[in-house]
Amino acid sequence: MVEDKAYYAVSGPNFEEYIVCPYDSVHRILPLRLTYHLVRCAKNYPSSKMVRCPFNTTHMHSVANMQKHVLECPNRSTLERYKMPDVLPPVEPRACEFTLESTEDWDAEPPVKTYNPRKYCERELIIRNPQGKQPAARREFRERERRRFLEKNKF
């Protein structure tokens, strides 16, 4: 029995990883589930005056504390980097420094005929389906196909 308790203490949940819900301090949430939880918990506490941080939607604070949080938010750096484009890397990638010589000419016509799937299906015994035609045209097409199959099968 003592061994079981020791095992649970070692392999049990690590409560240091959990985050406290801003709506209800009893709620403990894994960081992965925080966004989902905040949406659900906000519906249960409509009277609370909580405001979302403009830099991270998982940061919820009261209206009075939000101004202080905006100045100290750790996710504010993304906006700061956006405002200062000289810090950002260049928009266009650098051109390749080397060129590769080849004897292939991709613009030349191929030495063999190109494949036409429609002609191939008409020559061989392939079942075709007339898409997007009127019912009368489909009946006529099916009748022509029946005759074509009968002629091809007679050898």
Side-chain angles (χ1 to χ4, degrees):
M1 195 70 137
V2 175
E3 293 174 15
D4 293 339
K5 289 181 182 178
Y7 175 74
Y8 181 73
V10 171
S11 68
N14 187 0
F15 289 108
E16 293 173 0
E17 295 176 4
Y18 286 74
I19 297 174
V20 178
C21 174
Y23 291 104
D24 189 353
S25 61
V26 178
H27 294 171
R28 303 280 189 252
I29 308 109
L30 284 170
L32 184 71
R33 305 277 300 160
L34 183 62
T35 307
Y36 177 73
H37 175 81
L38 289 176
V39 170
R40 291 188 58 161
C41 212
K43 292 177 185 175
N44 295 336
Y45 295 92
S47 62
S48 71
K49 303 293 183 195
M50 302 295 273
V51 183
R52 290 188 189 275
C53 172
F55 309 115
N56 188 338
T57 58
T58 61
H59 295 172
M60 301 291 292
H61 293 279
S62 64
V63 177
N65 293 340
M66 183 50 74
Q67 190 171 15
K68 180 183 175 194
H69 171 77
V70 166
L71 295 174
E72 299 172 354
C73 182
N75 297 107
R76 182 183 175 139
S77 63
T78 55
L79 180 69
E80 295 298 329
R81 276 190 274 139
Y82 178 75
K83 283 182 174 179
M84 293 186 240
D86 56 333
V87 178
L88 294 174
V91 176
E92 293 183 19
R94 284 185 243 143
C96 283
E97 298 294 330
F98 65 94
T99 57
L100 185 64
E101 296 296 326
S102 176
T103 58
E104 290 181 316
D105 184 11
W106 286 50
D107 295 325
E109 290 294 321
V112 295
K113 290 184 179 179
T114 57
Y115 173 71
N116 187 343
R118 182 171 293 187
K119 287 183 181 179
Y120 175 78
C121 290
E122 289 172 358
R123 276 195 325 263
E124 302 297 325
L125 293 174
I126 306 289
I127 299 173
R128 299 184 295 166
N129 188 5
Q131 297 289 323
K133 295 187 178 186
Q134 298 294 324
R138 287 197 304 259
R139 279 192 297 272
E140 183 182 320
F141 178 82
R142 283 193 298 268
E143 186 58 39
R144 279 192 314 230
E145 288 294 292
R146 282 188 196 103
R147 282 191 236 120
R148 183 174 72 91
F149 270 69
L150 288 173
E151 290 173 6
K152 294 268 185 191
N153 282 333
K154 293 179 185 177
F155 33 96

